[in-house]
Amino acid sequence: MTRQAGSSPQARRAPSGFGWEAITVAISRFFQKGSYFITSLILARLLGPEGRGLVAALLVPAQLAVNFSEMGIRQSTAFHLGRGIYPLERLLPTLLTLVPLAGTIAVLLALAYLDYAGVARDDWMLRALAVASIPTSLLSSYASGVFLGRQRIAAFRRTSWRPALLRLVLIIVLGWALDLGLYGVLIANLGASVLGSGYALYLLSKEGRLYLGFDREVAVRLQRRGLSYAASLFVMMLNYKIMILLLTRFATLREVGVYAQATVIAELIWEIPTAVSSLLLSRSVNAKEDKAFSTKVLVLARVSFLAATVLAIGIAIVSGFAFPLLFGKQFAESAAVCNALLPGVVAFIVFKILNTNLAGQGKPWASLIIMAPVLVCNIMLGWWMIRLDGVMGAALASSITYVVATILYVGLYARMTGFTVRDMVAFRRSDFAALATHIPYLKRPGKR
């Protein structure tokens, strides 16, 4: 489809250099993750393993419900704006109308699961607080799709780290200072989500006029493209969180808490690709030459894998005394669980980077070819290993499936892009030359 008036590159602000934007997005992401890390430390000290497990058992289903009911609209919005298929003034009213519709579906799905799993069975207030943040989370997600599609990276950064910092402050005030415990934690989560979505709406108002409307063609196109994104993201997220669900069902809340706390440290490694994944998506949907951009992505994947390996070795060395020191002796078992997760987490970095690239090219379905059967294996292997070895079995099952998924996806990516596997995985001296050129590239945006 031809580009419509008002959506040409000239109508948008010129994007900054990739190196500069990568740095600013990475700093924002690390700040956001730092807030989450301090929050997890406070939760561990405040609630203990069982309370920490209950928080995970309540919020993970809500998060999965958001991913499912979002229907890939965030990524689809970025694609349609980035490729100039629809102008913002035509797309935005329909996008805002979809929020309450998708939010209602997500709330009902989350409540249905919590009832099925028996989580907080006698406390509907906890369930209500857990799912109340779903609509506002959807609004923030849809707004970020607009920012990425229009390459408003600064706006995207602001909506990423501020809610995380606000959640940390509210948890300190409500959960710790006012001693509201679990209720304070969930109220803080809701408050941060509401205020974060309000700020996202404010930034969105600077992009275009906010009003509700419905354009059937836009809605159909967004959902049609979004379905493949949605299926891909939901299956991916389910692979990340399935062990929490299985442990909730077949183990104890204490083991859920031990596993959840282990993932806090192990998944810090994912911040290497996640820090720039949204920027990759934004640049991919706007790229004129997919093959040339993919070459840069492969450099990022190789260097990220190497950096992750070094970081994982460091985590494995210090985890034995770091977990009891940071989170308390009750979480000492989380150290071994974390170490079991590390090989899979490191390997999966390559998957995450390559998948973001293909998703930006409008091929999110590619990950489904790999992750759908891997999810089935993950569930079966996880169920068996949890019954065999509890929380450690869950960690080993996750790690194994991450490694298998990455190996299979590298082969698929090579087939779809025309690169050979050797071209993809072999390190070159130019990889590190590119790193030296772009990462410390601290010139002001616009200078080359």
Side-chain angles (χ1 to χ4, degrees):
M1 184 176 290
T2 58
R3 294 181 181 267
Q4 300 198 19
S7 61
S8 66
Q10 289 78 11
R12 299 189 294 240
R13 279 175 265 174
S16 307
F18 182 82
W20 174 266
E21 288 184 341
I23 293 168
T24 57
V25 171
I27 291 172
S28 173
R29 179 67 188 184
F30 283 124
F31 189 88
Q32 177 187 0
K33 196 65 178 183
S35 298
Y36 285 140
F37 175 77
I38 298 172
T39 298
S40 74
L41 192 154
I42 294 172
L43 291 180
R45 294 284 185 175
L46 184 66
L47 303 176
E50 286 195 14
R52 179 69 178 87
L54 184 54
V55 168
L58 286 165
L59 295 183
V60 166
Q63 184 181 7
L64 288 172
V66 169
N67 290 120
F68 177 78
S69 61
E70 186 188 81
M71 302 301 288
I73 298 298
R74 171 179 178 261
Q75 290 78 11
S76 183
T77 297
F79 179 83
H80 282 88
L81 287 175
R83 295 293 166 103
I85 298 173
Y86 290 118
L88 181 63
E89 56 268 21
R90 185 177 176 188
L91 186 148
L92 189 54
T94 301
L95 196 65
L96 294 174
T97 301
L98 292 175
V99 172
L101 299 177
T104 301
I105 295 172
V107 167
L108 293 176
L109 287 172
L111 287 175
Y113 172 80
L114 291 175
D115 191 57
Y116 164 76
V119 179
R121 189 183 299 276
D122 299 323
D123 196 334
W124 275 89
M125 180 58 71
L126 286 179
R127 293 185 181 184
L129 288 172
V131 303
S133 62
I134 288 176
T136 50
S137 297
L138 281 170
L139 178 57
S140 297
S141 177
Y142 288 2
S144 69
V146 173
F147 300 144
L148 291 175
R150 290 168 67 85
Q151 297 198 74
R152 304 297 197 249
I153 303 303
F156 173 79
R157 289 199 309 268
R158 296 189 193 110
T159 56
S160 298
W161 67 265
R162 294 189 183 192
L165 178 61
L166 184 60
R167 181 171 180 258
L168 170 60
V169 172
L170 289 176
I171 285 177
I172 292 174
V173 173
L174 298 175
W176 179 66
L178 297 182
D179 198 24
L180 295 180
L182 184 58
Y183 288 96
V185 170
L186 293 178
I187 293 171
N189 185 71
L190 174 59
S193 180
V194 170
L195 294 174
S197 66
Y199 183 64
L201 207 58
Y202 164 72
L203 293 179
L204 201 58
S205 69
K206 296 184 176 183
E207 300 292 322
R209 190 163 66 94
L210 302 182
Y211 64 96
L212 298 179
F214 189 79
D215 186 319
R216 183 174 180 180
E217 179 190 338
V218 170
V220 170
R221 287 291 297 269
L222 282 178
Q223 290 179 337
R224 185 180 300 162
R225 171 71 63 174
L227 281 174
S228 56
Y229 283 110
S232 171
L233 288 170
F234 182 72
V235 170
M236 191 89 69
M237 186 59 66
L238 198 53
N239 269 288
Y240 298 157
K241 303 298 184 182
I242 192 63
M243 292 306 162
I244 294 288
L245 302 183
L246 290 175
L247 286 167
T248 300
R249 184 70 176 163
F250 300 111
T252 65
L253 284 177
R254 179 189 173 279
E255 288 179 296
V256 175
V258 166
Y259 183 87
Q261 208 62 35
T263 62
V264 168
I265 300 297
E267 292 178 6
L268 282 175
I269 296 173
W270 279 349
E271 290 313 297
I272 295 171
T274 303
V276 294
S277 63
S278 297
L279 178 58
L280 277 178
L281 177 65
S282 178
R283 285 304 183 93
S284 292
V285 300
N286 285 276
K288 300 298 183 292
E289 295 291 339
D290 288 340
K291 186 76 178 279
F293 189 75
S294 293
T295 301
K296 298 178 181 180
V297 170
L298 290 176
V299 173
L300 178 63
R302 289 191 292 267
V303 173
S304 295
F305 177 79
L306 182 61
T309 301
V310 174
L311 182 57
I313 293 171
I315 290 175
I317 292 172
V318 304
S319 63
F321 64 86
F323 273 90
L325 178 65
L326 292 173
F327 307 119
K329 293 181 180 179
Q330 293 174 303
F331 289 94
E333 188 182 351
S334 294
V337 175
C338 174
N339 291 344
L341 286 167
L342 289 176
V345 168
V346 170
F348 208 66
I349 274 187
V350 176
F351 183 108
K352 289 171 73 71
I353 292 175
L354 299 184
N355 182 56
T356 301
N357 181 218
L358 288 185
Q361 294 177 15
K363 304 169 185 175
W365 44 265
S367 67
L368 279 175
I369 298 174
I370 304 300
M371 293 308 289
V374 165
L375 175 60
V376 175
C377 294
N378 205 0
I379 293 172
M380 295 174 63
L381 185 62
W383 173 81
W384 179 67
M385 295 192 72
I386 286 171
R387 295 174 71 89
L388 188 69
D389 199 18
V391 66
M392 181 58 73
L396 291 171
S398 288
S399 198
I400 291 169
T401 52
Y402 286 156
V403 171
V404 171
T406 301
I407 293 172
L408 294 175
Y409 197 78
V410 166
L412 179 65
Y413 186 93
R415 188 179 185 87
M416 293 182 65
T417 58
F419 293 99
T420 66
V421 173
R422 179 181 176 82
D423 287 338
M424 292 174 62
V425 303
F427 283 90
R428 300 166 177 78
R429 184 177 299 177
S430 59
D431 293 348
F432 304 98
L435 185 68
T437 299
H438 293 292
I439 299 304
Y441 189 32
L442 298 178
K443 296 180 181 179
R444 293 185 180 275
K447 291 186 179 182
R448 304 285 180 177

